[in-house]
């Protein structure tokens, strides 16, 4: 299950050591971590990472299969989490030590900066192969981060990007060795911890206004 | 005149061996080809190419000169064709063996992937020189494909991009030798034929919603 | 104070030899220069540059401190100037010989092309550090020019880009030696002087419609 630690100015959120799919309990634990991060004061930044082979594989399709009547509420909860990370009033860094798929990849895009392991693991939006089109709101999130060419390739062809290719495509900002992954992310976050606060909150709310409104951010201006 | 052939999973639409301007008969023939492509079932993809020195020079200004009263209906028909290609429920590849100008260049942008001959031929939006500003809908199509910097340069300065420059600018995805052009396009299309279907249709309808709505796509959601 | 000269087809607007902050008198002088540029006929283009260590440091915070009741009107005036440059019916080139900060950086983004000195000077949006979030309209202007990745980095982290880094990020189109700066800009402008006129005006009004409407361009279509 997700767990939060603080090291000086940097909160490190570990998404877990399984496939880290978005089970309702997992969503609750991540939201609890974000409550703590948001509730803290002073300089701070967030690094999100995980343990083992997966960063996150996204939606919990097994749980969904048993709760089809809750599909819409579940997707809404996922989208509100994406909005929450996107709008977080501090710099956020995803340190992707393993596979990053589907809604897990969108969760990574909600962060300001992405650092990916160069030698193993894929970043992929497999929705075109799964028969699960992106919602309008998820589409807006992806378009808020990627160039038109890369958004098209990632969304229409479901390409699997290794770290080096993901860096070349501008999906991730850095591709580094596994042993440097977390330290690189923490270093990037530490350098930006002083940015935390209401100014960055307002900057982000305007920069991502269309995506935030569609995702259902509860704090975004509605006009 | 445009002609359609099928090779295994790939439909190849040849736009003709003239300047391949958008005469009403040419539009009808292209639409008939697209009817066949859309009506087919199973894995499939589209490669659009042409024969000779031109891929397409765009609007049929000579025909327009003799039918000025039909200007608006003609532009609407052209835009609906652009929307149709943009929304096609399969992967589409433009294999540009010759010059690609004006609305011909926009037609190429409606495809998912562009492959251009590296050694000869230009891709160009000459509207700034012709005194014919882009419609709002055409502007949205161009912006859906290109980075802000390249859209600005292409639209405001009417730069002629050879294949290598077009590749560097991200206008085309591949610049290859003339003898490899069609085979490269068919190979790219074949690899994505399995994507054809309603999921990709929905993904594209959301990814390009603003451009599709302005171009007048008849199947796009209106909200 | 700002001064305008004409060399053949190129108007050169020098923003001054101080920090070139947007004092109301400075705004009036720049607008007077633009009146002359717009009122001229025939082939023409604009190069905007300055003298000394600064291109422009943006808002005149000292003047604002003494005129807080005029804050909204002042910001509106600044935004209308940004819109005016963005919509200018000719090709515009910013030749940045010194520091380019905050609203000065946004003013540079309102130009079609940016040329920056490679060896000294920074381009920076320090708003996240100043506690002054970008207005919605300024956000739209920045997003109309930069890729999503660079807009995010520049706006959220307030990174200072030297000329070489600004070129790598696509913020500027050319980074050159100090002695070549103005001649490079004039050469680029001269080559595009023939584009001046109503077609480019319409192309720009549609290409930048969202930013122009938010900035308060008085000539932009409102639909």
């Amino acid at each position: 299950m997700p767990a939060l630690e603080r090291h000086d100015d940097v909160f490190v959120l570990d998404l877990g050591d399984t496939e880290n799919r978005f089970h309702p309990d997992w969503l609750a634990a991540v939201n609890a971590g974000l409550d703590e991060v948001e509730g803290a004061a002073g300089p701070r930044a967030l690094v999100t990472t995980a343990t083992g082979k997966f960063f996150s594989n996204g939606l919990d399709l097994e749980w969904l299969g048993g709760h089809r009547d809750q599909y819409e509420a579940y997707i809404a909860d996922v989208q509100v989490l994406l909005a929450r990370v996107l709008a977080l009033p501090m710099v956020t860094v995803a340190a992707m030590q393993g596979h990053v798929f589907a809604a897990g990849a969108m969760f990574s895009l909600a962060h300001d900066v992405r650092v990916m392991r160069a030698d193993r693991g894929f970043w992929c939006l497999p929705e075109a192969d799964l028969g699960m089109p992106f919602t309008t709101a998820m589409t807006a999130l992806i378009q808020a981060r990627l160039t038109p060419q890369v958004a098209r390739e990632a969304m229409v062809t479901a390409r699997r990007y290794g770290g080096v290719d993901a860096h070349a495509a501008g999906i991730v900002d850095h591709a580094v060795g596994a042993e440097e992954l977390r330290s690189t992310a923490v270093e990037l976050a530490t350098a930006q911890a002083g940015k935390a606060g209401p100014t960055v909150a307002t900057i982000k709310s305007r920069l991502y206004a269309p995506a935030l409104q569609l995702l259902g951010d509860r704090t975004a201006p509605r006009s």
Side-chain angles (χ1 to χ4, degrees), chain A:
Chain A
M1 285 295 288
L4 186 73
E5 289 189 357
R6 180 168 190 163
H7 305 282
D8 302 322
D9 289 345
V10 177
F11 287 93
V12 177
L13 178 64
D14 189 306
L15 299 176
D17 57 5
T18 64
E19 287 190 31
N20 307 321
R21 286 186 180 266
F22 298 1
H23 185 280
D25 295 341
W26 184 96
L27 289 172
V30 169
N31 274 310
L34 296 178
D35 287 344
E36 192 174 334
V37 172
E38 281 197 278
R44 62 201 191 284
L46 175 68
V47 168
T48 303
T49 188
T51 303
K53 285 178 62 180
F54 302 95
F55 178 79
S56 171
N57 269 350
L59 301 186
D60 191 330
L61 301 178
E62 188 180 327
W63 182 88
L64 256 182
H67 300 79
R68 296 192 186 181
D69 57 318
Q70 296 177 46
Y71 181 81
E72 287 190 22
Y74 173 75
I75 295 295
D77 285 346
V78 169
Q79 293 191 159
V80 166
L81 175 63
L82 295 173
R84 192 175 182 188
V85 175
L86 187 62
L88 216 64
M90 67 198 67
V91 168
T92 55
V93 183
M96 303 181 282
Q97 91 300 340
H99 294 303
V100 189
F101 272 66
M106 296 177 218
F107 183 70
S108 81
L109 290 179
H111 291 74
D112 288 318
V113 179
R114 277 157 298 292
V115 187
M116 188 169 169
R117 186 174 164 179
D119 63 332
R120 295 189 74 174
F122 290 109
W123 187 99
C124 176
L125 294 171
E127 278 74 1
D129 288 333
L130 301 178
M132 296 181 63
F134 306 93
T135 66
T136 298
M138 290 170 174
T139 301
L141 167 63
I142 298 165
Q143 292 183 301
R145 284 289 185 226
L146 305 179
T147 61
Q149 293 92 337
V150 174
R152 196 276 312 162
E153 181 181 63
M155 295 172 76
V156 174
T157 74
R159 176 175 167 190
R160 294 177 177 219
Y161 299 85
V164 173
D165 288 343
H167 182 243
I171 296 169
V172 305
D173 303 276
H174 305 274
V176 301
E179 69 291 345
E180 305 161 67
L181 185 81
R182 194 178 287 216
S183 61
T184 299
V186 168
E187 199 174 305
L188 289 163
T190 300
Q192 302 292 342
K195 298 291 185 297
T199 300
V200 155
T202 303
I203 290 173
K204 289 188 177 186
S205 73
R206 291 174 181 162
L207 186 53
Y208 308 126
L212 289 173
Q213 287 178 31
L214 289 165
L215 289 167
D217 173 53
R218 283 157 189 158
T219 63
R222 278 297 175 280
S223 71

